[in-house]
Amino acid sequence: MRPPSVPVPADGAVHRADWCPVGDAATFRLDGHVATITYNRPDALNAVNGEMRRDLNDAFLRFRDDEEAWVAIVTGAGRSFCAGADLRDGTGSTGEFAGTFWEKPTLNSFESGWEIFKPVIAAVNGYCLGYGLTLASWCDFVLASDRAEFGLPEVKLGVPAIVASIRLPQRLNWADAMELLFTGERISAERALAMGLVWRVVPHDTLLDEANALAARLLEGAPLAQRAMKEMAMRTRHMATLEAIRFGETMRHVAGGTRDAAEGRQAGAEQRPPRWTGR
Ligand code: COA
């Protein structure tokens, strides 16, 4: 039996071998500062069943809390990114967590309090449907293979796509969002690019190289400054301008007091590349 998630050690030390294990239905790999989270049920086109939901939650929890993980790439094993909720598994995509009115934060809806401010790249390698599209539309960058297809089949199953109904109108033109929500039809990567759902379309075989190249560019920036900016961008959507600026100035002082901010100033004065530590 798979061990339960292990909390981050109280001393803050990262004992990576035994800390927050992630299962097989979704995998977590850390290369330097780049975490790759992979949907890993290729025989079911990476449909989300209870096991995958649990493993994805563990993977994102680990990404959020591992001080060495600065950027994430999310992708799918095989020919699909994620075919949405598993329609055949009895436990359903909710797994052990059936949801409550006061929903605890999970990948079901990141906005409900599970706050991850590190940059996340979706490397969409194939079908990106239902929950798959919901997750991709939460990512900072949606990099798509020219074979990718996007869609929200929920309406054809007689159910609403709730989080996509919240998120897509914030990200796309109203009519484009409603087209996806109301028709349930799949669209090509090119059409998704034209809508602004996708950031860039690349040849299929180069997808992961392109995602890693983007991750390398992101690592050139100071990780804590990036997190401060993402938190600003996310939180201030719902703030009045004055409160947003007051919050921003506080964040400027918090981020400005880090070792990396001192390193950035020193590297600038010495005209050398900075060496970030994420501290
Ligand atoms: N849940 C469970 N299994 C799924 C699945 C899902 N959402 N989507 C695909 N699979 C399985 C298929 O049952 C099939 O399994 P099998 O080989 O054991 O028969 C395998 O994945 C391959 O799927 P297949 O339909 O043969 O591939 P395809 O390329 O012809 O079609 C899709 C791909 C994604 C268009 C099609 O599988 C589909 O429409 N899936 C359902 C998508 C959906 O409605 N998701 C729910 C969103 S809320």
Side-chain angles (χ1 to χ4, degrees), residues 43-45 47 79 83-88 127 129-130 153-154 157 186:
D43 292 344
L45 301 185
R79 66 186 174 99
D86 192 305
L87 300 175
R88 300 199 301 193
Y127 294 116
L129 308 176
E154 282 88 337
L157 300 167
R186 296 199 301 273

Side-chain angles (χ1 to χ4, degrees), residues 7 19 21 28 47 66 69 76 79 98 115 120 137 161 169 172 198 201-202 211 242 248 279:
W19 175 56
F28 179 98
D66 189 331
R79 66 186 174 99
E115 297 175 312
V120 183
S137 66
L172 308 180
V198 160
V201 179
V202 298
L242 180 59
R279 302 281 194 281

Side-chain angles (χ1 to χ4, degrees), residues 41-49 79-80 82-89 93 127-132 149 151-157 159-161 186:
R41 296 183 68 225
D43 292 344
L45 301 185
N46 298 321
V48 181
N49 65 357
R79 66 186 174 99
S80 173
C82 171
D86 192 305
L87 300 175
R88 300 199 301 193
D89 185 301
S93 57
Y127 294 116
C128 182
L129 308 176
Y131 273 131
E149 290 184 30
L152 294 166
E154 282 88 337
V155 73
K156 293 190 171 175
L157 300 167
V159 293
R186 296 199 301 273

Side-chain angles (χ1 to χ4, degrees), residues 56-270:
L56 279 171
N57 280 322
D58 284 350
F60 276 99
L61 192 64
R62 178 162 172 184
F63 172 60
R64 186 193 65 185
D65 294 340
D66 189 331
E67 293 294 346
E68 295 304 312
W70 295 359
V71 175
I73 296 171
V74 189
T75 193
R79 66 186 174 99
S80 173
F81 179 73
C82 171
D86 192 305
L87 300 175
R88 300 199 301 193
D89 185 301
T91 63
S93 57
T94 54
E96 292 152 14
F97 171 57
T100 64
F101 183 75
W102 294 274
E103 186 177 287
K104 70 178 177 183
T106 70
L107 77 137
N108 197 35
S109 61
F110 285 97
E111 288 90 342
S112 67
W114 191 10
E115 297 175 312
I116 297 177
F117 300 117
K118 300 173 180 180
V120 183
I121 302 163
V124 180
N125 53 304
Y127 294 116
C128 182
L129 308 176
Y131 273 131
L133 177 47
T134 305
L135 183 117
S137 66
W138 167 82
C139 294
D140 301 300
F141 302 90
V142 182
L143 192 61
S145 146
D146 51 10
R147 295 186 199 160
E149 290 184 30
F150 298 81
L152 294 166
E154 282 88 337
V155 73
K156 293 190 171 175
L157 300 167
V159 293
I162 295 298
V163 178
S165 301
I166 300 167
R167 196 176 292 146
L168 289 192
Q170 294 174 1
R171 195 153 170 153
L172 308 180
N173 285 330
W174 184 266
D176 289 331
M178 294 305 135
E179 180 190 358
L180 283 165
L181 289 163
F182 290 169
T183 70
E185 293 168 1
R186 296 199 301 273
I187 60 167
S188 67
E190 285 299 337
R191 178 79 208 288
L193 179 70
M195 281 184 183
L197 179 60
V198 160
W199 175 63
R200 276 185 57 204
V201 179
V202 298
H204 183 77
D205 292 339
T206 69
L207 180 68
L208 283 184
D209 287 344
E210 293 278 1
N212 279 292
L214 173 59
R217 285 173 59 205
L218 296 173
L219 293 180
E220 299 284 315
L224 299 180
Q226 288 168 343
R227 277 171 234 171
M229 289 187 283
K230 184 164 171 179
E231 183 164 0
M232 283 298 300
M234 287 169 67
R235 270 195 215 293
T236 59
R237 275 192 200 149
H238 308 291
M239 285 184 190
T241 307
L242 180 59
E243 281 70 24
I245 291 170
R246 297 291 293 173
F247 172 56
E249 292 305 330
T250 308
M251 289 290 276
R252 188 199 304 281
H253 283 284
V254 172
T258 61
R259 277 187 242 162
D260 275 353
E263 163 65 8
R265 283 190 294 271
Q266 196 172 335
E270 294 169 7

